[in-house]
Structures are given as structure tokens and as C-alpha cells.
Amino acid sequence: MHCGELCQRLDEELETAAYADVDASANGLQVGPAATQVDHVAFAVDAAVETIDRAAEAGADLLVTHHGLIWDGIERLTGKHYRRIAPLLDDDLALYVSHLPLDGHQSLGNAAGVADVLELSNRAPFGTMGEQFIGQRGTAADPFTAPELRDTLAAELDTGGRDVQLLDFGPAEIRDVAIVTGSGVDWLDEAIEDGVDALVTGEGKQFAYHEAREAGIHVVLAGHYATETFGVRALQDLVADWGLRTTYIDHPTGL
């Protein structure tokens, strides 16, 4: 399959164009010619020297990541930009990126993957970003206690040995859960306004402790990397169904 055709199919599935005005990431094909032939696709959360080198060693023609290399444009190909882009060019490896579109996709996205782990029902989009959504909310079939919610995520997520943190300030029974993966604690106010019992996200900020405590809501910090492996793995399954060879590159950061 030509790279351009594959990227177009991914863009259509992920509704990439809808996020153009709200995402700092240059989503879609970031590096490489659209005309190149793609037979083998590698998938990783981050585009970094390590994952690029491993994709090249695996013989991939295209690397698909959640976090790419181009944010608000590049003025100069020096320093870290050169270190990361040079091996792509040296190994003739293209790069496709999906940031917020892959967070917000309601079946393939990162938040949807976390909701699958928690077996949530009555799901709906959550986490507004302009006119788009970057998360999901749902209802637990059987209510969780706060430690049960934390322990379920710790058992199922690739945390790289990092403990799942819990701000245990909410009700005794957790039924309604909102999810914004990665650095999603900025949507705590929206979770409070929506009346959910817990917000699950990746990493926290200082303000969240006091706001959660004062509002009486649980916050679970399960790791930025750990909460964002689901989207690229779902894309791997999709691309494999399209008949291409795939490889997943796991490189947890512990953050």
C-alpha cells in the first residue's frame, strides 16, 4: 500500500482534520514521501531516537506514534530536532502522528481503551477542546471503591513499575468515571461540573490536590505513558486487518 493511501485512511478514520485548529501537533504524515510503498508498520507511543531506531531495526517502512516530532512548527533542524529526524531520513522511515484525534476517538482512542479496562457502560464523549472531545466518560457496572479503581488500573496498565497514585477525596462508591489520558488533569473542573465520582488521567499538577479535596472527587493518576498505549495498539490492530505487517514498540517511561 502506498504511504499516502494508508495515511489518508487513517486520517479519515481518526477525523484528523477536525482537530486541526485545537491541536499543537502536526497530525498526519509528518516525515516521508506519500508515494513510498509501505508493507510493514511499526507503532509506538513516542517518536524518539530509541523508538525510531527500533522501528528501523524491525524493517518498518512507517512508524505511527501518538506523540510526534513537530509541535507548532519547526524553525531549524538542529539539536533534538536533527537528532530525531536524521535517523528517519537515514533509514528511509516515514512517520505518521495522531495526537488529540487518537485521544478522543470514541472506539479506538486512549480514553476508550481505559474505559474498556474498567468495563464502563453508557459511554459518552468527555473533555472538551474547542468543539472536539479528547476523552470519555461512563458508568461502572459494579461500583468501585477508590482502592479497587486504583488497583484495577495498576494491574492492567503498562506503568513501567510506577505506582498508580490516588487522590482519595470522593464518595465511598464510584459509579461515574471521566477519563482524559496523558496530561488531562486540567479537565478536573469539567469532571466536577459533570458530577462524576472520579477522574482518571495520567499525571497530576499541584492544584489538583486542593481542588479535588474541596470538591469531593477522586482523581487517579495512572501515568502519562501508561494511559496512552491503547490508541496506537488499536491502530496496530486496524492496520493489520488492512493486510499490512505490524510491530509494536514498547518503551515505557515510568511517567
Side-chain angles (χ1 to χ4, degrees):
M1 185 182 299
H2 282 146
C3 185
E5 178 187 351
L6 175 57
C7 292
Q8 182 179 356
R9 292 177 71 172
L10 289 171
D11 283 341
E12 290 173 354
E13 179 63 44
L14 295 165
E15 299 182 4
T16 300
Y19 289 81
D21 294 333
V22 298
D23 200 346
S25 172
N27 296 312
L29 183 63
Q30 282 196 355
V31 179
T36 191
Q37 179 68 24
V38 173
D39 299 307
H40 184 177
V41 185
F43 296 82
V45 174
D46 302 309
V49 172
E50 172 73 15
T51 55
I52 292 167
D53 285 347
R54 288 170 60 183
E57 290 168 4
D61 307 300
L62 173 69
L63 173 62
V64 173
T65 68
H66 178 51
H67 300 127
L69 300 180
I70 301 174
W71 305 84
D72 290 323
I74 294 178
E75 292 184 359
R76 303 174 191 274
L77 278 179
T78 60
K80 67 180 181 181
H81 297 305
Y82 179 80
R83 288 195 301 272
R84 292 173 178 172
I85 291 177
L88 290 169
L89 301 180
D90 289 343
D91 291 302
D92 199 21
L93 177 64
L95 174 67
Y96 177 93
V97 173
S98 184
H99 183 231
L100 294 185
L102 193 54
D103 283 323
H105 196 284
Q106 294 299 294
S107 58
L108 299 175
N110 290 315
V114 176
D116 288 343
V117 167
L118 298 176
E119 299 182 349
L120 302 183
S121 60
N122 301 320
R123 299 189 197 183
F126 174 82
T128 53
M129 190 80 163
E131 296 182 356
Q132 305 305 318
F133 293 94
I134 60 170
Q136 194 171 91
R137 61 170 293 174
T139 304
D142 295 309
F144 293 101
T145 65
E148 286 172 346
L149 179 60
R150 176 197 60 204
D151 293 347
T152 298
L153 292 168
E156 296 294 333
L157 270 58
D158 184 3
T159 64
R162 174 190 183 276
D163 291 336
V164 173
Q165 295 178 282
L166 170 65
L167 303 181
D168 188 359
F169 299 130
E173 290 191 342
I174 298 172
R175 296 180 181 274
D176 296 315
V177 180
I179 304 163
V180 178
T181 61
S183 184
V185 77
D186 288 331
W187 281 266
L188 178 57
D189 283 345
E190 186 173 333
I192 294 167
E193 291 171 5
D194 281 8
V196 301
D197 303 314
L199 171 68
V200 174
T201 187
E203 59 184 283
K205 296 180 181 178
Q206 177 71 11
F207 76 84
Y209 175 94
H210 298 289
E211 289 195 7
R213 188 172 187 271
E214 292 163 10
I217 186 174
H218 300 289
V219 178
V220 184
L221 308 174
H224 196 130
Y225 180 93
T227 58
E228 296 198 327
T229 63
F230 296 96
V232 287
R233 285 189 176 274
L235 291 185
Q236 180 185 13
D237 291 340
L238 180 66
V239 169
D241 288 342
W242 291 345
L244 298 177
R245 181 183 171 197
T246 67
T247 297
Y248 180 71
I249 298 169
D250 191 23
H251 190 60
T253 64
L255 300 174

